[in-house]
Amino acid sequence: MKKLFSISAALLLAGASLFAQDRSKVLKIYNWSDYIDEEILKEFPVWYKEQTGEDIEIVYQLFDINEVMLAKIEKGKADFDVVCPSDYMIERMLNHGLLLPINKDFGDTPSYLDNVSPFFRDAFKNKLKAPAGVDVNDYAVGYMWGTTGFLYNTKYVKPEEVSTWGAILNPRFENKIFMKDAPRDVYSPLLIYIHPEVTNLDSLMFSTSDEDIAAVEKILVDAKPNIAGWEADFGKEMMTQEKAWLNWTWSGDAAWAMQEAADVNVELDYIVPEEGSTYWFDGWVIPKYAQNIKAASYFINYMCQSEMAIRNMDATGYVSVIGTPEVLESVQESAIENGFTQTYDVSYLFGEDGKEVIVDPVYYPSQEIMDRCALEHDADEDTIKLLKMWQRVKGDNLSTPIIIIIVLVVLAIVFFAVKSVGKKGKNAKKTKK
Ligand code: SPD
């Protein structure tokens, strides 16, 4: 696996020099951080020129969580041409009229969209809520997917201690946990945790009752002495550097961290707690205010080639939704290279060819794990209740040393203010005399 890099300043800032340029020659992409092989981005203009005879320049910007991306588009009316929201956010954007259909006419260029595993095309069509008669596949094409679970350091944490989401309350983990700063990806697994009686996780994923929100809030508040920080992408480094023992995270970050850690003799492992969890996927969409639908659609098609899927997986640690034999062969090869020997049934993704294959189980959860995972859904107008709870939980997340420093600074300011008023008073008296 390659080291992750920050996208070059040239790509990020290209926009600055493009003011006067023809917008049809610019493709504005808004993606998660650490979520693409940078070379693939750089190669796109060459491929696009070969396919269409047209020039294109990429402006690439990063976001950390879905909610930030949404605000930029919904409130800021940002003119990104392609963005990469998660499942529930695709639902939200589609149902709020924030998406445009993907143009699937690629002229002489082959369409690679069908490389996406039927498992995901089916989930897009049948699991995501959409306006009547709308097939989500016309508005979104899958990119990466995974589960939510615990990444943990085996030197300090036993697997049985993290077999439950309740691990975040274990007093042994004081200040040792990094939490994913993604409200839905924390709320939903905790919903599953507080409802052991519920067997239909799919319907539970819609719950935003006041009682559920309050119960989740209480757990998070109680867990705060254990929470060392909230992160959207640096948790993996905290874990490889042993600055935390436990990270509530996405499987792709976990896979990346586990490989990096092995190089420095740190042993990390990943677990999906027994109560169950969420599986998720992110997909490419064209937002309402896009200005280059043609290049956006070609970019989405370009990303669906098996070669791009394999290279992106290698660079990021995340797992592509592409379910072609080439991808299966590549993931088997690298699992064997990395010493895996056990076979798994991943036919849910690769069809019959995936019935009994050697894969890394962090990358491809077994059917048994998938059976206890569910997809998240948009909370629509209740989103605000959820986000307020999240802010309340995180808002007072100041550690004791920081509180002490703030108190000392305030006391110092008051002390000097009083002193200076006293001096002025004395000087005034002197002048009168
Ligand atoms: N660093 C890129 C992470 C992208 C992961 N997306 C996961 C979303 C889960 N809702």
Side-chain angles (χ1 to χ4, degrees):
M1 191 179 292
K2 287 181 207 161
K3 278 246 175 237
L4 282 176
F5 28 63
S6 53
I7 298 292
S8 70
L11 274 173
L12 282 170
L13 300 176
S17 62
L18 295 171
F19 277 127
Q21 228 178 351
D22 178 356
R23 190 58 175 80
S24 70
K25 294 199 169 74
V26 178
L27 175 65
K28 290 178 94 171
I29 304 172
Y30 196 27
N31 191 14
W32 300 79
S33 50
D34 297 345
Y35 216 32
I36 201 162
D37 178 337
E38 193 175 350
E39 290 306 309
I40 286 180
L41 271 185
K42 289 189 191 149
E43 290 164 19
F44 178 69
V46 179
W47 182 86
Y48 189 69
K49 178 96 182 177
E50 279 165 13
Q51 306 304 315
T52 63
E54 294 168 23
D55 291 317
I56 199 80
E57 191 154 358
I58 290 182
V59 175
Y60 192 76
Q61 286 188 29
L62 303 174
F63 64 86
D64 280 338
I65 56 165
N66 281 298
E67 287 66 23
V68 168
M69 178 278 301
L70 178 70
K72 203 125 186 197
I73 287 168
E74 195 169 40
K75 299 216 172 72
K77 300 188 172 28
D79 66 342
F80 293 110
D81 301 306
V82 201
V83 302
C84 189
S86 300
D87 33 49
Y88 73 94
M89 191 52 77
I90 295 175
E91 266 181 351
R92 162 112 196 166
M93 295 176 87
L94 190 54
N95 290 307
H96 283 242
L98 287 172
L99 299 185
L100 300 176
I102 294 165
N103 180 355
K104 295 184 181 173
D105 176 5
F106 301 115
D108 291 337
T109 307
S111 169
Y112 302 106
L113 303 184
D114 284 350
N115 283 348
V116 173
S117 164
F119 177 79
F120 293 102
R121 282 186 276 140
D122 179 65
F124 275 52
K125 188 171 175 158
N126 299 316
K127 295 222 168 193
L128 297 188
K129 279 181 297 168
V134 168
D135 181 346
V136 180
N137 289 293
D138 291 335
Y139 290 82
V141 171
Y143 179 45
M144 299 283 188
W145 78 287
T147 55
T148 306
F150 280 129
L151 172 67
Y152 63 100
N153 187 319
T154 59
K155 189 158 73 179
Y156 306 107
V157 181
K158 296 188 203 73
E160 55 273 22
E161 288 179 297
V162 277
S163 62
T164 167
W165 292 112
I168 58 167
L169 297 166
N170 185 338
R172 218 172 69 70
F173 301 149
E174 189 178 343
N175 214 22
K176 290 292 179 228
I177 305 178
F178 267 85
M179 296 292 289
K180 202 45 96 191
D181 189 2
R184 296 302 314 227
D185 300 321
V186 173
Y187 175 75
S188 302
L190 282 177
L191 254 190
I192 298 174
Y193 173 67
I194 59 173
H195 282 293
E197 78 291 356
V198 173
T199 46
N200 182 351
L201 294 185
D202 279 333
S203 62
L204 185 61
M205 291 297 97
F206 287 97
S207 172
T208 46
S209 69
D210 290 345
E211 298 72 42
D212 281 347
I213 292 181
V216 167
E217 179 168 3
K218 171 152 186 2
I219 295 175
L220 289 171
V221 168
D222 290 349
K224 286 187 72 171
N226 290 353
I227 298 176
W230 305 83
E231 59 84 25
D233 52 20
F234 63 86
K236 45 192 190 288
E237 276 97 19
M238 294 295 100
M239 292 297 291
T240 53
Q241 294 163 18
E242 298 199 292
K243 294 199 171 127
W245 293 358
L246 207 58
N247 186 195
W248 182 303
T249 193
W250 302 309
S251 48
D253 276 10
W256 186 91
M258 284 163 66
Q259 290 204 21
E260 290 298 310
D263 292 347
V264 289
N265 286 327
V266 170
E267 192 181 295
L268 304 179
D269 208 345
Y270 176 76
I271 191 167
V272 174
E274 271 158 23
E275 297 98 358
S277 182
T278 55
Y279 75 91
W280 51 263
F281 51 76
D282 299 327
W284 299 111
V285 298
I286 303 181
K288 181 175 174 183
Y289 306 103
Q291 289 186 36
N292 197 341
I293 295 168
K294 178 175 176 184
S297 302
Y298 269 77
F299 178 78
I300 294 171
N301 190 29
Y302 166 80
M303 293 294 276
C304 287
Q305 297 171 86
S306 303
E307 180 203 332
M308 304 310 164
I310 294 166
R311 289 170 59 191
N312 280 323
M313 284 169 67
D314 187 39
T316 65
Y318 279 87
V319 177
S320 169
V321 298
I322 302 298
T324 57
E326 291 84 354
V327 172
L328 179 59
E329 191 186 320
S330 159
V331 294
Q332 280 200 91
E333 261 172 30
S334 54
I336 293 167
E337 252 170 47
N338 289 325
F340 291 94
T341 50
Q342 197 178 328
T343 58
Y344 293 90
D345 176 0
V346 286
S347 55
Y348 64 89
L349 215 131
F350 290 106
E352 275 306 294
D353 290 352
K355 200 96 200 119
E356 212 185 323
V357 287
I358 297 176
V359 287
D360 177 340
V362 174
Y363 266 49
Y364 293 98
S366 64
Q367 186 63 54
E368 180 271 314
I369 292 180
M370 287 302 282
D371 287 346
R372 55 189 161 93
C373 286
L375 209 55
E376 291 168 358
H377 289 282
D378 178 38
D380 209 8
E381 59 265 27
D382 280 354
T383 302
I384 193 75
K385 284 202 297 188
L386 258 175
L387 296 182
K388 279 191 174 158
M389 176 275 277
W390 191 249
Q391 269 157 12
R392 283 196 299 275
V393 168
K394 281 180 56 195
D396 60 342
N397 197 36
L398 295 177
S399 59
T400 315
I402 292 181
I403 293 173
I404 293 173
I405 291 171
I406 292 175
V407 170
L408 288 176
V409 169
V410 171
L411 285 178
I413 291 171
V414 172
F415 175 77
F416 286 113
V418 169
K419 215 175 156 191
S420 108
V421 168
K423 251 190 190 169
K424 273 185 196 156
K426 273 186 190 166
N427 288 343
K429 274 184 193 164
K430 272 185 194 164
T431 330
K432 270 188 185 171
K433 278 179 191 171

